[in-house]
Amino acid sequence: MDGANNQRQMRVSGSVTGPVEAGRAGRRLPRRALAGIPASWVATGSVRPFGGVDRLPISGAPIVARLPRIGNGPPAFTFAIEADPHLDVRSDPSIFGEVIDSIVATSPAFLIDLGDTLMVDTLTQPTISNIRDRASRFRQYFDRLGDAIPLHMVIGNHDGEAGWAPSLARLSNDVRREAFPASVHARNYRAFTHGDALFVLLDPFGSTTVKPNADPWAWTLGREQYEWLARTLEASTETWRFVFIHHLVGGDRLGRGGVEVARRFEWGGCDPDGSLAFAARRPGWGVPIHDLFVDWGVTAVFKGHDHLYAHQELDGITYQTLPQPSHPGESVRQAAEYGYVTGTVRGGSGFLSVTVEATVTTVRFVKWNPRTGMAVDASYELFARVVNAQAGRLAQPEAPS
């Protein structure tokens, strides 16, 4: 069972219980967009708690539920994540549309897009007109979020904003800023808080000035972003600390892989043979990125790039790779090719819905099905981790029974 070997940090989801207050009326959505969405999120009448994959009676305009306040702490909330929509020849726009509609149906506080969205560097002619066409194509989907669901964008390797192509990076950023002004900021890395959670969005492309071909040490956050990251984590007082990145800073030369490569290169500090190389390769930087996360209590790293669902754990930190939200296939054959050995790997398309409460965070994979629409395919729970202030290390509490 997923998470059975990682009881200190997580256990497989049981049920989310408690009162749910009916909220504002949502817009009418197709039956397939709502099928399988837990009744504690969207209801048309009486509200039932989630316990496995619930089905909804769909009639009339749905009522979008608000999550309860837990004790005296901040109110619980849900956010959504999707990655690598592409909308290229291997994508199905109708599936992406159903996924976006299902995200809207869950009424998240916001959506985080993990990149490879505009796909600028795949254009034969990356002119401003062609890049605007790509942006316009995605606007028709992201506009469905409305004003109530902010969009936070993480840069992907195909989005044309890499340090090794500065002219294209400036053009791509200008168009993205024009199309999504509320989602583009002065830098492609940033942090924000919501409730009792810190959200850190990283950019492994802007400071990578030489495209990695043979040496994955070429992938880098750059010293400025690294030091900003260290300060941000050290200053955080939030219970939950979530990191979002398109792919790890290292892996193979294409950035592929999960925890099996997380101890390598800038991310983990070692060469492929296991020898420590961080001090020589990044003099004066302190510790590798993964160790920084261990020291400062990062709960989970969410990433895309590899086009599959992979739930893994390393040193008490969850590493979650996301599938595409737009691909019609179920195959996970690339998992072995990309080096995934441990954890739970699943096929299919969809998004993650993450519910943050005072002492537990529940991660759900909401998967597209060609026959039944959207349904919860997998779930697990994360528990709050406590930073040991003296040692700068973590005391990991047992999961509540």
Side-chain angles (χ1 to χ4, degrees):
M1 183 176 290
D2 191 10
N5 296 323
N6 301 312
Q7 290 294 323
R8 293 179 64 193
Q9 189 205 7
M10 66 186 74
R11 59 184 170 84
V12 174
S13 174
S15 62
V16 177
T17 59
V20 179
E21 175 189 358
R24 59 181 175 78
R27 69 183 183 88
R28 185 182 293 272
L29 294 169
R31 178 182 296 267
R32 284 168 59 85
L34 295 173
I37 300 300
S40 59
W41 299 346
V42 185
T44 56
S46 61
V47 177
R48 295 169 288 134
F50 169 64
V53 179
D54 243 350
R55 294 288 172 183
L56 290 176
I58 306 301
S59 61
I63 300 298
V64 179
R66 293 197 186 104
L67 289 163
R69 183 181 296 274
I70 307 300
N72 295 321
F77 66 94
T78 293
F79 67 95
I81 322 170
E82 53 80 21
D84 299 270
H86 283 218
L87 296 188
D88 55 15
V89 293
R90 292 179 293 277
S91 303
D92 186 334
S94 67
I95 297 174
F96 186 51
E98 288 194 44
V99 167
I100 291 295
D101 284 343
S102 295
I103 289 172
V104 172
T106 64
S107 193
F110 49 85
L111 168 64
I112 296 180
D113 169 78
L114 291 182
D116 274 9
T117 303
L118 298 192
M119 301 292 285
V120 170
D121 82 343
T122 67
L123 295 173
T124 304
Q125 295 182 312
T127 63
I128 189 168
S129 176
N130 288 339
I131 298 172
R132 280 175 172 160
D133 284 346
R134 288 290 302 176
S136 177
R137 190 175 189 190
F138 277 94
R139 277 288 302 270
Q140 67 179 297
Y141 296 99
F142 288 140
D143 279 354
R144 300 181 190 181
L145 300 175
D147 295 332
I149 306 174
L151 172 66
H152 299 280
M153 304 183 82
V154 173
I155 291 299
N157 58 297
H158 287 308
D159 288 327
E161 299 188 34
W164 61 77
S167 296
L168 181 61
R170 287 190 294 271
L171 182 60
S172 300
N173 185 265
D174 286 347
V175 173
R176 194 165 60 90
R177 186 183 304 275
E178 175 186 277
F180 307 102
S183 305
V184 181
H185 302 269
R187 302 174 302 195
N188 282 341
Y189 60 91
R190 58 186 291 261
F192 64 94
T193 59
H194 189 97
D196 193 22
L198 172 71
F199 295 82
V200 179
L201 282 56
L202 297 178
D203 171 22
F205 306 107
S207 293
T208 300
T209 56
V210 177
K211 189 172 185 178
N213 291 314
D215 183 9
W217 278 104
W219 291 112
T220 184
L221 294 182
R223 185 156 185 170
E224 180 181 345
Q225 184 178 180
Y226 171 87
E227 292 180 349
W228 166 86
L229 172 63
R231 292 193 304 269
T232 299
L233 293 175
E234 183 176 1
S236 174
T237 59
E238 288 74 26
T239 298
W240 306 99
R241 304 174 186 194
F242 303 120
V243 173
F244 304 84
I245 191 168
H246 186 70
H247 64 59
L248 303 186
V249 188
D252 66 12
R253 67 180 182 86
L254 297 178
R256 302 291 186 191
V259 299
E260 292 79 7
V261 296
R263 297 200 188 281
R264 298 179 185 175
F265 311 115
E266 187 173 301
W267 195 268
C270 294
D271 279 332
D273 63 5
S275 60
L276 294 174
F278 191 79
R281 290 286 198 151
R282 302 292 187 266
W285 279 39
V287 299
I289 296 168
H290 173 77
D291 289 357
L292 199 65
F293 292 169
V294 172
D295 284 346
W296 295 111
V298 167
T299 311
V301 175
F302 296 95
K303 68 184 191 72
H305 192 55
D306 291 339
H307 302 181
L308 52 81
Y309 172 101
H311 169 213
Q312 303 178 291
E313 182 270 340
L314 181 65
D315 296 331
I317 299 173
T318 289
Y319 278 76
Q320 176 68 62
T321 304
L322 274 74
Q324 289 185 273
S326 55
H327 193 278
E330 287 275 345
S331 174
V332 293
R333 62 180 180 273
Q334 72 268 35
E337 179 186 347
Y338 298 161
Y340 288 85
V341 176
T342 65
T344 298
V345 175
R346 306 180 80 89
S349 293
F351 70 98
L352 294 188
S353 181
V354 184
T355 300
V356 181
E357 301 177 62
T359 59
V360 62
T361 288
T362 305
V363 181
R364 299 181 179 93
F365 172 31
V366 184
K367 180 178 174 179
W368 175 82
N369 183 293
R371 294 176 299 278
T372 60
M374 306 298 299
V376 176
D377 186 63
S379 67
Y380 59 90
E381 292 179 343
L382 305 173
F383 296 95
R385 305 173 69 219
V386 181
V387 175
N388 183 327
Q390 282 189 324
R393 294 282 171 177
L394 298 176
Q396 296 196 32
E398 294 295 324
S401 58

